[in-house]
Amino acid sequence: MSEREQALKRAGDLLTGADYTVAGVRALLGPVAGGALARDEIVPALRATGGGSPLETLTRLLWIQEPVPAGALAGAADLVAAGLAAESGGELRPLLRVEPLESVTGAGHAGYAVSDLKVRPGSGERVRPDHVVGVGGASGSLARLVVHSPVDNVLDLGTGCGVQALHVADPAVRPRPAALTATDVNPRALRLAGMSFALSGLDGVELLEGSLLEPVRGRRFDLIVSNPPFVVAPGDGERYVYRESGMAGDEFCRRLVVGAQEMLTEQGYCQLLANWLHVDGVPWEERVGAWASESGCEAWIVQRDVQDPAEYAELWLRDSVETGTPEYRRRYARWLADFERQGVTGVGFGWITLRRTGVADPAVRVEELRHPVEQPVGAYVDRVVDGLAAAQEFSTSCAQLLRTAAGVVQEQIGAPGAEDPERILLRQTGRLGRAAGVHSVEAALAGVCDGTIPLEPLVGAIAQLMGLDAAEVRAHAAAVLPELVADGFFEVVPDAL
Ligand SMILES: C[S@@+](CC[C@H](N)C(=O)[O-])C[C@H]1O[C@@H](n2cnc3c(N)ncnc32)[C@H](O)[C@@H]1O
């Protein structure tokens, strides 16, 4: 182990010993200072960390990014030797940002992510083109999306500060994978990711420099995770590598999707965040659905948000702290002109989950879900994809065993006092929180499907009870059940498949 790595290990012990964790810092700051800091306002956080305890000092230095008195911290020498801080004039100054990570299960500490210092609005500083970004909202979204099942061999593509690899290695989620590979096109990112892993005690991560899938061509992984440089920016030569690939439009995400299959083991997952263009006259679902079909994998693609061209340009100019700079108007206008030229009417933000499978016609679902869903999605994303695959194969053969999914409830809507409801809804109280308007036949099925009795006798009994024709009830069930299976209201009991 090099001297730097040894110092990073000691620095990691210093940080955990001081409870420099998300829970520790959250309790220290409280909701008001914590909320202000999330808006890049540091004054409340400075007031909340003035007591001089090790946790307060570390929070000031490594999170708020303020100098602290050099004598305030036993172990300061380790931070300096680790390359995280510099000492001069009696002060300790941060050189890098160190963010604690919380397990996506909410059950404790998941390591430390080392990134470049955050450039805050009003500081007068510029974001450097090779800036290594810290843990953002997108990092958290992807970490919460990643499937929880055990995996041996994982690729974190575009690792940046290493946050995804650290989450994948979190033993509160799954046993630590035997092999972890992290790639990035930015050598500076690989250096900082290496520091994150050393500080977090995560040994043996393979770090490879290169673009897209190139550094790992010919290899296969059980899981590929990527929070890629998905930002669609004008190709005017000014590029931030942490968010822009340099490829035109949404080409980077498309290439990753269509190239994933040959890098996955059987039943392996590739999960990424993406932005996709809404192009005038082309339904977005068709454009992105074509990527999924070309991938040859089962695919679940979810649009979580859409922004119009102006909102999009403003968002990313704010992100790179360019709002209010002399170049702002020029850059903003360039962005709009570029979108106009391509017929772009908006940009979608979303999740892509692919699963490699041997089937000839894999299930593909492209949909919009804008409402809050149960988190972490990774705890049940495999069931979502299972549901899509089961619906694709669903045979109306009534030998099938169905089970009403956990958390499904029935709601009835109608005039007060009325004997019969006007509408019946099945609603998921957890997971994706879907609701479906149903006929009384499906509602009755939801009441009795427990995975033990095949569909045929259940349909017969329901028809008899409701005074309906059994053949009609069977035909109705056959028409509506696949969609309800795909949506996760019913699950096909695996042995029956
Ligand atoms: C949005 S950051 C994500 C960082 C981190 N994985 C996370 O989840 O926060 C995208 C990362 O992709 C890297 N990157 C940019 N272009 C790339 C390319 N062509 N191939 C691989 N990685 C690239 C950037 O250097 C950056 O670290």
Side-chain angles (χ1 to χ4, degrees):
M1 203 188 280
S2 70
E3 272 184 35
R4 170 65 65 92
E5 281 168 340
Q6 287 175 32
L8 280 161
K9 196 178 168 326
R10 289 194 302 274
D13 293 341
L14 171 71
L15 268 50
T16 46
D19 196 24
Y20 185 63
T21 58
V22 170
V25 174
R26 194 184 283 141
L28 170 68
L29 295 181
V32 174
L37 203 50
R39 297 188 299 275
D40 284 321
E41 294 290 350
I42 65 171
V43 174
L46 287 173
R47 295 188 73 231
T49 54
S53 72
L55 177 58
E56 286 165 300
T57 307
L58 287 169
T59 304
R60 278 190 166 222
L61 183 72
L62 299 175
W63 195 324
I64 308 174
Q65 305 177 181
E66 283 290 298
V68 297
L73 199 63
D78 289 328
L79 297 182
V80 173
L84 298 171
E87 193 180 334
S88 65
E91 274 190 341
L92 206 55
R93 235 173 358 92
L95 293 178
L96 293 165
R97 183 176 172 84
V98 180
E99 291 170 277
L101 304 177
E102 187 170 53
S103 172
V104 296
T105 63
H109 178 64
Y112 293 106
V114 179
S115 61
D116 275 321
L117 294 177
K118 185 170 189 176
V119 176
R120 294 209 167 91
S123 64
E125 290 163 37
R126 299 293 306 266
V127 177
R128 34 189 293 176
D130 65 348
H131 179 80
V132 178
V133 73
V135 181
S139 324
S141 285
L142 178 63
R144 288 188 296 273
L145 178 68
V146 170
V147 64
H148 285 198
S149 33
V151 278
D152 278 340
N153 193 4
V154 181
L155 170 65
D156 173 13
L157 192 154
T159 193
C161 61
V163 48
Q164 302 304 332
L166 287 163
H167 277 298
V168 169
D170 175 6
V173 176
R174 64 178 76 67
R176 186 167 283 188
L180 257 165
T181 301
T183 66
D184 207 290
V185 78
N186 180 2
R188 188 174 163 71
L190 291 173
R191 272 204 306 282
L192 299 198
M195 291 176 77
S196 301
F197 303 146
L199 198 59
S200 308
L202 178 60
D203 300 326
V205 181
E206 180 187 32
L207 290 160
L208 297 177
E209 187 183 329
S211 181
L212 243 176
L213 292 162
E214 278 319 310
V216 287
R217 234 348 118 218
R219 292 170 56 178
R220 288 190 189 271
F221 300 89
D222 302 331
L223 174 65
I224 299 174
V225 295
S226 185
N227 174 12
F230 54 65
V231 176
V232 183
D236 55 6
E238 299 171 49
R239 156 162 112 89
Y240 298 103
V241 71
Y242 74 87
R243 67 181 197 194
E244 293 153 28
S245 68
M247 291 183 200
D250 45 22
E251 179 61 11
F252 189 93
C253 294
R254 192 195 71 81
R255 283 199 200 172
L256 183 48
V257 168
V258 304
Q261 193 199 37
E262 67 181 62
M263 317 296 292
L264 290 174
T265 54
E266 200 58 32
Q267 299 297 310
Y269 283 85
C270 172
Q271 297 188 279
L272 60 140
L273 300 183
N275 277 188
W276 43 76
L277 296 178
H278 287 218
V279 180
D280 200 15
V282 187
W284 72 271
E285 298 94 329
E286 247 174 51
R287 263 191 97 244
V288 182
W291 303 357
S293 303
E294 206 183 326
S295 81
C297 293
E298 291 169 337
W300 180 48
I301 301 184
V302 181
Q303 180 163 278
R304 295 288 288 161
D305 194 13
V306 189
Q307 293 199 340
D308 69 34
E311 287 174 313
Y312 193 80
E314 288 161 28
L315 170 72
W316 295 114
L317 287 166
R318 232 181 1 259
D319 173 76
S320 46
V321 199
E322 291 177 84
T323 311
T325 61
E327 302 83 41
Y328 182 70
R329 283 188 180 190
R330 178 185 60 80
R331 295 263 291 151
Y332 194 161
R334 180 74 204 256
W335 220 308
L336 295 183
D338 203 59
F339 277 161
E340 205 171 273
R341 194 178 43 75
Q342 297 177 68
V344 172
T345 56
V347 183
F349 293 66
W351 307 331
I352 297 184
T353 293
L354 306 169
R355 183 167 69 183
R356 185 187 157 111
T357 163
V359 304
D361 185 18
V364 170
R365 161 74 75 95
V366 181
E367 63 179 326
E368 181 158 61
L369 290 178
R370 303 282 284 266
H371 59 266
V373 298
E374 185 181 350
Q375 295 289 356
V377 181
Y380 59 90
V381 66
D382 49 351
R383 308 290 281 276
V384 174
V385 182
D386 286 348
L388 298 177
Q392 179 101 336
E393 291 180 13
F394 193 82
S395 98
T396 49
S397 126
C398 289
Q400 220 143 182
L401 285 176
L402 282 190
R403 173 170 61 209
T404 306
V408 170
V409 296
Q410 177 180 321
E411 287 176 7
Q412 306 203 150
I413 300 164
E419 206 168 295
D420 292 320
E422 283 164 27
R423 289 182 69 207
I424 306 175
L425 293 178
L426 291 181
R427 187 181 293 284
Q428 297 166 346
T429 53
R431 295 196 184 172
L432 297 174
R434 297 188 197 271
V438 293
H439 186 274
S440 47
V441 167
E442 299 93 278
L445 275 172
V448 294
C449 278
D450 62 359
T452 60
I453 306 172
L455 219 42
E456 173 63 34
L458 291 178
V459 163
I462 288 169
Q464 199 176 21
L465 218 82
M466 293 182 165
L468 300 170
D469 178 70
E472 273 177 33
V473 170
R474 196 175 300 116
H476 174 79
V480 298
L481 281 175
E483 194 60 17
L484 291 171
V485 169
D487 280 349
F489 291 98
F490 292 95
E491 293 166 349
V492 176
V493 177
D495 286 345
L497 273 177

